[in-house]
Amino acid sequence: MTDTLDRAPAPERGAARPGLAGRLLGHQLLWPVLAIIVMLVIDVIANPSFLDVRIQDGHLYGNVIDIARNSAPVMLVALGMTLVIATRGIDLSVGAVAAIAAAVACTRIVESADEGAASATILASTTALAVCVLLGVWNGFLVSVLGIQPIIATLVLMVAGRGLAMLITDGQITTPTNDTFSNLASGFVLGLPIAFLIALGMVALTAVLTRRTALGMLIEAVGINPDASRLAGVRARTITWTVYVFGAVCAGLAGLIIAANTNSVNANSLGLWIELDAILAVVIGGTALTGGRFSLAGTVVGALLIATLVRTIPSIGIPSEANYLFKAFVVILVCLLQSPRARAALRVRGRRGAQPKAVAA
Amino acid sequence: MSATIAVPNPSVWDRVRTYSPSRRYLPVVATFALFIGMFGAGGIRYEGFTDPQVFLSLLLDNSFLIVLAVGMTFVILSGGIDLSVGSVVALSTMIAAKTLEMGWSPYLSMVTVLVVGTLLGTLMGLLIHYLDIQPFIATLAGLFLARGLTYLISTESIPITDATFTELAFASITLPGGYYTTWTVVVALATVVVAAAVLARTRFGRTVYAVGGNEASAMLMGLRVAAVKVGVYAISGFCAALGGLLFGLYTLSGYSLHAVGMELDAIAAVVIGGTLLTGGRGFVVGSLLGVLVLGTIQTFISFDGTLNSWWTRIVIGALLLVFVVVQRLMTRRQT
């Protein structure tokens, strides 16, 4: 809404078509991308060899590759969250779902006959994702059939989920030894980390499904007005239900990657606060929390921004735990930029400054 | 023609027989029944469960959660939510521990903690009301901010060794019958009483209900919506800081990983206490009962010995589910 209002006056000023620079300046991803670049510049100043990428054993190594690899879990969770938020919902349970998925996969691998076999990983991961589908169906049922507010409906699983994960691992820190499984996080294909490729693959798949078919538009329609979209013939209930299942599967994949990264699962701490990081990534990417509009590219940029931030803070000598402080400022900043009231206040001030020029012209 | 008509004069028994509690008290009554039922079941299953000291320990072990739930009740009644309380508890323990370590007077340290908590809450309230930021997101920023500040002060656990603090923590009040309790319990119960009085008897309290019921109507009625919306977050921030002090007394340390996820317990207690998550309906007493129910689950598990601690979370989740679904069905029937 506000974007169209901003752009409307442009032709009147005589600029027949917005040039490349104009389009870039007006793009909603300008600020997040600029922020990533600024952080990288800071990194290079602090550590001149920060951007170096070297090839070792045919794989790419370096800080940038690490950022890409570490962004994978948040990117996956945020991907699911983007669609959920687009339907005007929210999914608080993704952290718990990630923990459950990791718990299921790790215990299955440990229990399998041949712990190191690739088939054990495949079987265990499939089981874990199937469990995630069930959890997603549960969330979707509460939201779309019983009509409970999403934040409350998913709170139930958020509270109970970690207990369930502990039940599965029997309260132990389960440590599977399986090369295929640990490759999920630390392996490389074509020189790039597998985790990042999985995340990008899911994003690409989702982009094709939502933007090359009518699905994306239908999801946005449900987010704008569920009742109106239902009356217009959109199966609002099925769509809402589906996005929660999708969100849970994405969270499950993220859980597997996190567990594979440390080759262990601690049901208490795995994926702690990842739902908040994911929501942050979605918001940074320009998807409004009020639903009805979503940007997958924005979510990817948002996840990369968070990963860059987490990497930048220790490299400039601040204790890495302080990243929460910076995340807080990012949240507030992004919200201020998106808040219609704050924008209106800014615009009034800007117009006052611009008025003399307009008179002169 | 005498005009006297024999009006059936209801006897006391008739009144008792036909009495049904007002609909708005039903959720609280249900929670109370649940609490009594759980305690009774515990008394039948385990020896010594109904000992009054068990109940007093329940209050003692959950005094900080009671205070948090009171603050959360205000926020949820006004139609918002506060995710930051767990982090503010951690920040409060950390500020108290650090300032005491630096040799501040214990009273100055307590005042600082309470002021910081209230300021943080007020700040979030201002963001929410004046900049139209969703409560969920603004308090998420508060969560990150408080946790980040805690880490910034220290990543290690700092013990609290101050004489006044330890004295307060260990001082017990002997009750008739040889039972004892502590000052933290007194503070928690006093908070409940004050909060209940504010909600029931003051203009501010009634406006909280009005804003939660329908903010637009409250605004059109000329109520002071801005003051209330900022006020409830300030109260929640204050309660979180006070809860943090009680938690600091309970653990006698400041640590950045204290109270992770405690905001969920507080929200769960408020919901189980019968407060409507969409706002406008509920009582502080319900939240107190909600905390007691959560505490009883824990006591159950520690008495049983064969059950593992994670069952606490699963049972809390299940209870939350039941209350949320029942709330939903009840509100659906009315509309």
Side-chain angles (χ1 to χ4, degrees):
Chain A
M1 275 282 282
T2 45
D3 280 347
T4 50
L5 287 177
D6 280 344
R7 278 180 209 143
E12 290 169 22
R13 284 190 206 135
R17 59 185 179 81
L20 184 65
R23 258 188 294 166
L24 272 181
L25 278 177
H27 202 279
Q28 57 171 353
L29 288 183
L30 172 74
W31 292 107
V33 170
L34 266 186
I36 294 181
I37 293 173
V38 167
M39 280 192 284
L40 288 178
V41 167
I42 293 173
D43 283 327
V44 170
I45 293 171
N47 172 12
S49 62
F50 187 85
L51 289 180
D52 289 359
V53 174
R54 63 179 196 283
I55 297 177
Q56 194 176 316
D57 309 334
H59 307 323
L60 296 174
Y61 278 97
N63 284 311
V64 184
I65 304 297
D66 273 354
I67 290 175
R69 193 165 69 94
N70 294 341
S71 71
V74 172
M75 197 182 287
L76 278 170
V77 176
L79 175 67
M81 191 74 82
T82 309
L83 297 190
V84 171
I85 288 180
T87 64
R88 218 193 262 179
I90 199 144
D91 189 348
L92 293 182
S93 68
V94 286
V97 171
I100 293 175
V104 170
C106 288
T107 44
R108 293 292 295 180
I109 291 176
V110 170
E111 283 167 4
S112 58
D114 183 7
E115 200 183 324
S119 60
T121 296
I122 296 169
L123 202 64
S125 304
T126 318
T127 318
L129 293 181
V131 171
C132 290
V133 168
L134 283 181
L135 295 173
V137 167
W138 164 256
N139 275 337
F141 171 76
L142 289 183
V143 173
S144 65
V145 178
L146 293 186
I148 298 170
Q149 280 181 45
I151 189 171
I152 303 160
T154 54
L155 185 71
V156 172
L157 193 53
M158 186 190 190
V159 170
R162 286 192 187 276
L164 290 174
M166 299 270 277
L167 188 66
I168 294 166
T169 60
D170 211 18
Q172 309 290 318
I173 296 179
T174 312
T175 50
T177 40
N178 185 309
D179 289 339
T180 320
F181 187 63
S182 56
N183 269 342
L184 267 182
S186 51
F188 288 84
V189 168
L190 302 172
L192 285 170
I194 290 179
F196 187 59
L197 291 176
I198 292 176
L200 274 193
M202 283 299 282
V203 172
L205 183 72
T206 316
V208 168
L209 278 179
T210 55
R211 292 310 188 196
R212 292 286 158 213
T213 69
L215 186 63
M217 198 189 67
L218 298 182
I219 289 175
E220 289 177 331
V222 172
I224 293 167
N225 190 331
D227 292 332
S229 62
R230 189 176 53 78
L231 292 175
V234 179
R235 289 191 179 173
R237 180 177 282 187
T238 315
I239 286 181
T240 314
W241 208 332
T242 314
V243 295
Y244 281 94
V245 175
F246 180 72
V249 170
C250 284
L253 266 177
L256 294 184
I257 291 175
I258 299 171
N261 196 27
T262 55
N263 274 321
S264 69
V265 52
N266 179 352
N268 259 332
S269 65
L270 189 144
L272 191 65
W273 289 328
I274 201 171
E275 57 274 354
L276 304 180
D277 276 349
I279 293 167
L280 182 56
V282 173
V283 174
I284 291 172
T287 300
L289 278 174
T290 42
R293 188 162 55 100
F294 69 91
S295 156
L296 294 176
T299 299
V300 172
V301 171
L304 286 173
L305 191 147
I306 292 175
T308 315
L309 179 72
V310 170
R311 191 81 189 181
T312 301
I313 286 165
S315 87
I316 55 173
I318 303 173
S320 60
E321 288 88 354
N323 68 47
Y324 296 110
L325 205 60
F326 290 85
K327 279 180 193 165
F329 290 122
V330 174
V331 176
I332 294 171
L333 197 71
V334 170
C335 286
L336 287 184
L337 288 176
Q338 283 191 350
S339 151
R341 259 198 223 181
R343 284 169 78 120
L346 275 178
R347 209 171 301 142
V348 168
R349 199 163 298 163
R351 210 171 288 155
R352 268 188 213 138
Q355 253 167 5
K357 270 187 214 160
V359 172
Chain B
M1 301 289 283
S2 78
T4 50
I5 298 164
V7 178
N9 199 11
S11 69
V12 176
W13 167 241
D14 278 338
R15 276 202 229 167
V16 171
R17 198 165 44 93
T18 56
Y19 175 78
S20 69
S22 160
R23 274 190 78 90
R24 53 195 201 117
Y25 294 119
L26 266 181
V28 177
V29 172
T31 312
F32 186 66
L34 179 69
F35 173 62
I36 295 296
M38 285 174 68
F39 226 80
I44 294 167
R45 275 200 69 168
Y46 310 112
E47 195 140 328
F49 199 92
T50 44
D51 189 54
Q53 193 59 50
V54 172
F55 176 73
L56 287 170
S57 310
L58 200 63
L59 287 174
L60 200 159
D61 292 334
N62 293 290
S63 54
F64 45 88
L65 195 55
I66 293 175
V67 178
L68 286 190
V70 167
M72 189 67 79
T73 313
F74 276 86
V75 173
I76 291 183
L77 276 179
S78 78
I81 198 149
D82 190 349
L83 297 182
S84 72
V85 291
S87 296
V88 175
V89 165
L91 179 64
S92 303
T93 62
M94 186 55 96
I95 291 179
K98 187 73 185 175
T99 50
L100 290 173
E101 198 186 48
M102 284 158 56
W104 288 28
S105 134
Y107 301 103
L108 184 63
S109 166
M110 286 183 201
V111 171
T112 314
V113 166
L114 294 179
V115 167
V116 169
T118 314
L119 271 183
L120 257 178
T122 313
L123 209 66
M124 288 187 291
L126 290 173
L127 281 179
I128 290 163
H129 183 72
Y130 287 103
L131 295 176
D132 257 350
I133 296 178
Q134 290 193 8
F136 175 76
I137 282 291
T139 57
L140 171 62
L143 183 158
F144 280 140
L145 186 73
R147 200 58 83 171
L149 283 174
T150 316
Y151 276 120
L152 211 59
I153 296 174
S154 168
T155 51
E156 305 289 315
S157 171
I158 303 178
I160 296 178
T161 49
D162 179 81
T164 319
F165 265 68
T166 44
E167 211 169 282
L168 258 180
F170 291 120
S172 59
I173 307 163
T174 315
L175 299 176
Y179 304 111
Y180 72 94
T181 185
T182 60
W183 286 107
T184 51
V185 175
V186 177
V187 171
L189 292 181
T191 315
V192 172
V193 171
V194 171
V198 166
L199 276 178
R201 292 267 171 255
T202 65
R203 189 181 295 172
F204 179 86
R206 281 193 295 273
T207 315
V208 170
Y209 283 103
V211 170
N214 189 331
E215 191 181 331
S217 306
M219 185 83 92
L220 291 173
M221 281 170 71
L223 297 176
R224 298 173 59 195
V225 174
V228 161
K229 272 184 76 185
V230 178
V232 290
Y233 289 96
I235 290 175
S236 178
F238 175 83
C239 285
L242 185 60
L245 279 181
L246 297 185
F247 194 74
L249 286 175
Y250 186 70
T251 58
L252 281 179
S253 68
Y255 187 34
S256 42
L257 280 177
H258 271 332
V260 169
M262 200 182 270
E263 60 275 355
L264 294 184
D265 287 339
I267 295 172
V270 173
V271 174
I272 290 173
T275 301
L276 211 56
L277 260 165
T278 41
R281 233 182 290 172
F283 300 96
V284 174
V285 177
S287 303
L288 171 66
L289 290 170
V291 173
L292 290 180
V293 167
L294 297 193
T296 313
I297 297 171
Q298 239 146 18
T299 315
F300 240 99
I301 282 159
S302 66
F303 259 79
D304 190 280
T306 58
L307 290 171
N308 287 308
S309 62
W310 48 85
W311 281 105
T312 319
R313 301 219 69 80
I314 298 176
V315 175
I316 294 175
L319 272 182
L320 200 60
L321 175 74
V322 170
F323 271 78
V324 164
V325 170
V326 168
Q327 273 187 2
R328 174 67 197 162
L329 295 179
M330 279 176 71
T331 46
R332 186 183 270 180
R333 202 182 300 153
Q334 278 169 10
T335 49

